[in-house]
Amino acid sequence: MKKINVALVRLLQFVVFVVFTFVVITYFGAMILLPLDAVTLLIKLFGLVGLHGFIGAAIAIPAVAYLGLIVYRTPGLCPMIIETGVDLVKTGKAKVEAFNAIVNAVKA
């Protein structure tokens, strides 16, 4: 029975690891994809106005780059965003390691 309990705890530990890995990848992936999505939406918006895609891209890319510069120059914003992601990683690591104490308790 102890082996089944250990296997169940290890399974739950793996599930928690997978969930936190997914959350961290999603968080940092969103930071990369947000500017790309803004460029795409602006190009489509300029297409509705009647501008060609190349002209819309020539306008949208510098506009989004300028918005990124404003975000970068905002005091404390970039470090806070990175710190939040690092905190997610630390929390996930702590929760996965917490299962080791449960496994040791089940084995005893």
Side-chain angles (χ1 to χ4, degrees), residues 4 38 52 59 79:
I4 294 173
H52 194 267
I59 298 170

Side-chain angles (χ1 to χ4, degrees), residues 15-72:
V15 168
V16 168
F17 171 75
V18 169
V19 166
F20 272 101
T21 302
F22 174 75
V23 167
V24 168
I25 289 172
T26 303
Y27 181 78
F28 285 113
M31 295 303 124
I32 294 170
L33 290 177
L34 278 173
L36 294 175
D37 186 47
V39 168
T40 303
L41 290 174
L42 280 174
I43 291 171
K44 287 182 181 181
L45 180 68
F46 288 135
L48 287 176
V49 176
L51 294 175
H52 194 267
F54 289 120
I55 297 170
I59 298 170
I61 292 172
V64 171
Y66 180 70
L67 290 174
L69 181 66
I70 291 173
V71 168
Y72 179 73

